[in-house]
Each structure stands twice: as structure tokens, then as C-alpha cells.
Amino acid sequence: MMLSIFLDPPLQKINHPIAIKADVELYILRLDLMHPQINGNKWFKLKYNLLEAKATKITTILTFGGAYSNHIFATAVAGKLNNLQTIGIIRGEEHLPLNSTLQFAISQGMKLIYVDRKTYKQRNNIEFQNQLQEQLSQLGEIFIIPEGGSNLNGLKGCTEILSLVSNISKFSSICLACGTGTTLAGMALSLTSSQRIIGFPVLKGGEFLNTDISHILSNYQSSELLGNWQLVCNYHFGGYGKVTQELINFCDDFYERYHVPLDYVYTGKMMYGVIDLINQGFFHSERLLLIHTGGLRYSGMQLN
Ligand SMILES: *Cc1c(COP(=O)(O)O)cnc(C)c1O
């Protein structure tokens, strides 16, 4: 597998006045800087999926995503780098001109197939997947990766994220943004007993992830459930892909001060939440590690 182009992610210290006042040391793990294109957590979720496809000699990967999906973007480039044909099943109709994610996917050789929202809901249904295999049978056997790379292979890859931090035991809490919670679950499996991980769901009503994450963890290891993680569900800013002017201003200001680009969908919401919680006294006198999971910025998002 093509790994040589990856850099070890740097740790960046953030001297934020609110953190300094609360005696909190803030560090960001810049997974967004590991590779110019496969940035963030999506690489870790792809790694064992691509290895399994290669081991079973399957040369075509199929996966699912929305038109702005970071996972579609990462799969397209990872496929190309590993000589795998890629197919993206895209939710909704084709809109021309294509946005930069889909343009990029095509430039990497990904074949895009658009399906309506109702059909897209069938994406995890085995019969629907068999139907896709049949329709695309001229491409040979196809390896299917679920939306977001969120399967057990994806989870396994995420257990490796924190091993990239040489002094990880210095951190008492680790924070990250959650979509499906797979990345959080993988990281929770790799913590020591004195550490906790705090997830910030970016979807409205993110409490449902408590059940999902417990489920993911129990599928992976049947031993007793981990109690080292928790969710903070009130920094969704109206829901997935929704933004407010306040969030935009926060991200822009953060970039100006610390040169860390935050996307409005994931990392911006997490960072806003962390600073707000420090201000409220939730974190004090400790060393926090914040995971920059990557993500791209788009203009023209829906203001809430
Ligand atoms: C996909 C994604 C996440 C969410 O990962 P999950 O494992 O689904 O929780 C977080 N941040 C960014 C930038 C992402 O692209």
C-alpha cells in the first residue's frame, strides 16, 4: 500500500486566552496535515478496507456518500494511489457544474452513480448491494465499503490514530467531532484507564450516538463495555451541514489567530464547543488533545 507519502501528524499548541485563564493546555493533533488530499480521519477508516480488498484480489471499490462527502473524496484518491477502480454512489441528483468534491473524485478516476434519496436509504441493505453488484458485473467482483468507511475495518484503523502521538499519556482528555462515532469508538479502545474521550456530535439530537457507539464497540470486542467516553450534544448549530454566522465568525477568527483551518461541518463545531466548555469550567487545570479530523470548507452553506 502507498503509505510513504504520509507525514506524521504534527501537534500544535494553541495559546487561547480562555484556556490560559482556566489553566488548560490545548493541543491540536493535525490529522489534516498528513497528506495533501487524504486528510483527516477518513484515511484511517479506509486503511483496513483497502487492505482487505487487496488481500482478496478485488480491484474495484464501491462506496456511498453525499455530494460534499469527505469520504468520497478520500476514497477516490486512495483508490487511485492503490491502483483500485472506485465507484461512488452519490445521494441525490447530479447538479452541474459539479462541486469541487465531485470534480476531484472524477479527476481521480472515480465513476459516479447518482441515486435518489429513497434509493440511497437502501445503501446498507444486502439485496440492494447485490443488485448493484449485478448491474456492475462487467467490472468484476466489487468490494463495498459503507458510507463514511464506518465498519469494523474502519474502526480498527481508528484504534491506530493515537499511537501517532508519542507522549499521549500526558493528555487527560481527548476531544473530537462525531458523525457516526466510529472514530471516537476506535480511539476509545486505545486509551489508558486514566484518560477520557469526549465527542461532539454534529447532527441534531446526537444522543442517539450513545446507543450506536455502544453497539459498534460491542461488535468489535465482546468484553465489558468501556466507560471512558461521553458525548456533548448541544453544539450541533441546527444540525448536519447547518451553520450560524456566529460559528463562521468563530472559525474565521480561529484561522486568523492560530492558522488552523476549521471546517464548518465538523471541526469548527467541536472547537467552538471546547472553548465554550472551558469558559464554563467543564475543563480546568488539565491538558487537552483536540483531534483535527480534516474536512473541507465550502461557501454558500445554509445559515441557521
Ligand atoms: C467524517 C468526519 C468526521 C466524523 O467521523 P465519524 O467516524 O463518522 O464520527 C469528523 N470530522 C471530519 C472532518 C470528517 O470528515
Side-chain angles (χ1 to χ4, degrees):
M1 282 245 283
M2 187 86 174
L3 291 166
S4 54
I5 32 125
F6 285 88
L7 300 170
D8 276 345
L11 267 188
Q12 180 174 348
K13 183 153 196 235
I14 301 292
N15 292 311
H16 195 288
I18 289 175
I20 293 168
K21 201 167 146 219
D23 188 27
V24 170
E25 278 188 52
L26 278 187
Y27 287 84
I28 302 184
L29 181 65
R30 298 286 307 269
L31 299 181
D32 59 317
L33 296 179
M34 289 179 74
H35 184 277
Q37 285 143 341
I38 317 180
N39 73 38
N41 60 342
K42 295 299 183 285
W43 162 248
F44 295 92
K45 295 168 89 174
L46 282 171
K47 179 179 170 185
Y48 287 100
N49 282 302
L50 299 186
L51 283 170
E52 188 183 334
K54 285 223 155 178
T56 48
K57 304 256 189 304
I58 298 178
T59 55
T60 303
I61 303 284
L62 179 146
T63 195
F64 307 87
Y68 292 92
S69 164
N70 294 326
H71 168 68
I72 288 289
F73 190 101
T75 305
V77 60
K80 176 158 179 169
L81 290 172
N82 289 286
N83 296 317
L84 296 162
Q85 164 72 46
T86 53
I87 301 167
I89 305 292
I90 309 299
R91 182 183 63 230
E93 287 168 19
E94 180 179 31
H95 289 287
L96 295 172
L98 293 180
N99 70 40
S100 53
T101 296
L102 297 182
Q103 267 179 36
F104 177 79
I106 286 178
S107 78
Q108 300 301 296
M110 184 178 257
K111 178 180 163 64
L112 302 182
I113 298 173
Y114 297 87
V115 300
D116 62 51
R117 282 163 195 270
K118 194 165 157 232
T119 309
Y120 190 82
K121 285 212 173 91
Q122 303 291 310
R123 65 191 176 279
N124 294 325
N125 178 320
I126 294 292
E127 277 163 38
F128 174 64
Q129 294 187 354
N130 288 341
Q131 216 177 304
L132 283 171
Q133 297 258 19
E134 228 165 85
Q135 272 169 28
L136 299 164
S137 57
Q138 78 277 12
L139 298 172
E141 210 181 330
I142 291 173
F143 189 87
I144 296 183
I145 302 177
E147 181 184 65
S150 298
N151 56 8
L152 290 182
N153 282 329
L155 177 69
K156 183 176 175 193
C158 292
T159 65
E160 298 178 356
I161 294 175
L162 294 177
S163 67
L164 299 170
V165 183
S166 57
N167 47 4
I168 185 66
S169 62
K170 288 199 326 195
F171 295 95
S172 44
S173 301
I174 291 141
C175 301
L176 83 162
C178 295
T180 62
T182 309
T183 308
L184 179 146
M187 289 173 47
L189 286 165
S190 67
L191 294 182
T192 66
S193 58
S194 59
Q195 294 173 311
R196 61 174 174 166
I197 183 160
I198 297 155
F200 293 79
V202 300
L203 286 89
K204 200 172 182 167
E207 290 82 4
F208 74 88
L209 280 185
N210 280 306
T211 317
D212 285 10
I213 293 170
S214 302
H215 196 74
I216 298 168
L217 285 167
S218 61
N219 278 344
Y220 190 73
Q221 51 155 40
S222 46
S223 58
E224 63 189 277
L225 277 181
L226 289 169
N228 59 359
W229 58 275
Q230 76 185 82
L231 299 175
V232 175
C233 297
N234 51 336
Y235 294 100
H236 56 73
F237 291 85
Y240 185 79
K242 303 273 174 68
V243 291
T244 63
Q245 194 58 49
E246 193 186 357
L247 178 67
I248 293 174
N249 294 346
F250 173 84
C251 293
D252 292 352
D253 178 62
F254 202 88
Y255 184 72
E256 248 172 60
R257 289 201 215 189
Y258 309 111
H259 307 288
V260 178
L262 300 172
D263 76 296
Y264 305 141
V265 181
Y266 291 103
T267 55
K269 292 181 180 181
M270 179 271 295
M271 192 65 68
Y272 186 104
V274 167
I275 299 294
D276 200 43
L277 288 177
I278 296 173
N279 205 19
Q280 291 173 26
F282 182 91
F283 298 111
H284 54 85
S285 305
E286 63 170 309
R287 200 177 277 127
L288 295 187
L289 181 64
L290 317 180
I291 311 299
H292 194 310
T293 41
L296 302 168
R297 271 193 178 201
Y298 285 101
S299 54
M301 288 179 62
Q302 194 183 339
L303 269 180
N304 198 46

